[in-house]
Amino acid sequence: MSDWNAGIIEEFRGNDGIVGGVFEGKPLLLLHTRGAKTGKARVNPLVYQQVDDRIAVFASKAGAPDNPDWYYNLIAHPEIEIEIGTETRSLIARVAGDKERVPIWSRQKQDFPQFAEYEAGTDRTIPVIILEPQ
């Protein structure tokens, strides 16, 4: 996975945030976190949804039975940075509560049906993470 992510990250940075392949035409950001256990810098490409002045990302892990590592990094260290296009922003991450999560998640499944497939493939509730200004 890290080699695949490295290729996406390189393409993202080399093309001002535009990539092809499975992410072509999708809103993509690079999420910078610190490892929950190691404290090491990590970067993950993620599809996002703009929600007013906030950004939502989705801990889908393609429908795997467990959350992605970056989710635990955000829980341990919620102060993060993101890259969108050529811009870098510092934000705070938090898990959306049920009332906030439902309309955001519903829109994501409508706009990108593969997220509905991810949901169908797992027994866990896929967390919606809100990234907001500090």
Side-chain angles (χ1 to χ4, degrees):
M1 182 61 96
S2 62
D3 287 342
W4 185 79
N5 279 351
I8 298 295
I9 293 165
E10 182 179 344
E11 184 178 2
F12 182 99
R13 290 179 173 155
N15 295 301
D16 297 331
I18 303 200
V19 299
V22 298
F23 290 121
E24 186 171 359
K26 295 179 175 73
L28 188 70
L29 61 75
L30 299 183
L31 175 71
H32 294 252
T33 62
R34 286 188 297 136
K37 295 177 184 174
T38 66
K40 291 183 179 180
R42 307 284 187 210
V43 180
N44 293 93
L46 300 174
V47 171
Y48 72 92
Q49 181 187 132
Q50 191 73 47
V51 181
D52 301 319
D53 66 338
R54 300 164 297 145
I55 293 169
V57 293
F58 309 91
S60 66
K61 199 175 178 183
D66 56 336
N67 293 318
D69 290 343
W70 63 259
Y71 170 82
Y72 299 105
N73 295 347
L74 291 178
I75 299 302
H77 306 288
E79 304 83 13
I80 55 96
E81 286 190 342
I82 61 167
E83 294 175 57
I84 295 180
T86 59
E87 179 186 359
T88 300
R89 295 188 227 169
S90 295
L91 302 168
I92 298 289
R94 64 177 174 80
V95 178
D98 289 341
K99 185 176 180 180
E100 183 181 30
R101 177 190 179 278
V102 169
I104 295 169
W105 180 242
S106 294
R107 178 177 158 205
Q108 190 68 12
K109 292 187 297 181
Q110 179 182 347
D111 292 351
F112 302 100
Q114 67 269 29
F115 283 87
E117 293 172 19
Y118 301 158
E119 182 178 55
T122 187
D123 291 331
R124 68 185 169 90
T125 298
I126 293 174
V128 173
I129 311 302
I130 305 297
L131 310 177
E132 53 197 357
Q134 296 188 13

